[in-house]
Amino acid sequence: MRKLPIVHAIRDVRDSRFLQVEQLDLEFSNGVRRTYERLKGSGLGAVIIVPMLDDDTVLLIREYGGGVGRYELGLPKGRLDQDETAEQGANRELKEEVGYGARKLKILHNLSLSPSYMTHMAHVVLAQDLYPERLPGDEPEPPEVVPWKMSELHTLLGRDDVTEGRSIAALYMAHEYLAGRFKRS
């Protein structure tokens, strides 16, 4: 296990290159008025990728999560670049973070993060028929790639380093899709 990074400072930020806060003045059907604040998404969207090395092996990554101050095990993910489709962005992120490309990519669904106060949405992309290919990424250190059996998904949930909700939801979507039980309405 890697040694945790050193935290040199923590400070409040009024403006961020990633996050913006906006207010919504709302009136509900019963006449009640409220002002909500929400984090406004920046960029063009995001992807979370479920890379299947074979029919039962998903490739997870372990990387540092600044929000929780520890290393987390989850799925590769990232923001879309200008003029990139979700499939193109998923394949790029997969090459940057895992060292594989995919010949077969399927968008399973979209996930929100916290719909009460965030506009952020991520496309869940199943990646199959993988082949080795690496692109340079923007991570401060290369993520550790950890193969995991989907047939052992239930044991993954008991780990202290698996807490990211989008990864857990996307893994279950892919598990059910691959078993022929998941269908979007």
Side-chain angles (χ1 to χ4, degrees):
M1 180 70 73
R2 291 183 175 147
K3 184 178 168 189
L4 292 175
I6 298 167
V7 178
H8 291 286
I10 297 174
R11 59 190 154 276
D12 290 332
V13 177
R14 191 173 289 260
D15 295 314
S16 166
R17 58 193 165 129
F18 294 117
L19 303 175
Q20 300 171 348
V21 178
E22 64 183 1
Q23 290 186 327
L24 291 87
D25 294 325
L26 302 172
E27 183 174 342
F28 291 85
S29 60
N30 62 359
V32 174
R33 295 176 69 114
R34 289 282 193 281
T35 298
Y36 278 42
E37 288 187 347
R38 69 181 181 189
L39 291 175
K40 184 178 177 183
S42 61
L44 308 163
V47 291
I48 184 164
I49 307 108
V50 183
M52 298 300 299
L53 187 60
D54 57 44
D55 289 344
D56 190 38
T57 308
V58 63
L59 297 177
L60 304 173
I61 59 169
R62 181 175 288 116
E63 62 183 341
Y64 184 73
V68 292
R70 65 173 184 252
Y71 285 89
E72 281 279 313
L73 188 58
L75 292 170
K77 60 190 106 12
R79 296 183 327 163
L80 294 175
D81 287 343
Q82 187 70 38
D83 298 324
E84 216 174 30
T85 66
E87 293 91 346
Q88 290 167 335
N91 214 21
R92 176 186 48 76
E93 288 289 343
L94 187 59
K95 292 172 185 178
E96 290 174 2
E97 295 185 10
V98 183
Y100 282 90
R103 291 182 187 91
K104 185 177 175 186
L105 296 153
K106 173 154 182 66
I107 298 174
L108 297 180
H109 210 321
N110 296 316
L111 288 175
S112 61
L113 188 51
S114 292
S116 295
Y117 65 94
M118 294 180 77
T119 63
H120 177 82
M121 295 290 284
H123 302 281
V124 177
V125 181
L126 179 66
Q128 296 173 294
D129 196 8
L130 303 184
Y131 58 91
E133 184 176 342
R134 180 161 301 280
L135 289 175
D138 58 1
E139 291 78 14
E141 59 186 3
E144 176 188 354
V145 178
V146 178
W148 197 274
K149 296 294 183 187
M150 288 290 264
S151 57
E152 292 296 316
L153 188 55
H154 60 285
T155 61
L156 184 67
L157 300 179
R159 294 177 56 108
D160 290 337
D161 61 349
V162 178
T163 64
E164 204 261 325
R166 292 175 304 165
S167 286
I168 294 167
L171 283 165
Y172 268 103
M173 282 181 191
H175 183 268
E176 293 302 295
Y177 175 83
L178 292 169
R181 294 185 293 262
F182 176 74
K183 304 218 182 337
R184 274 181 69 179
S185 55

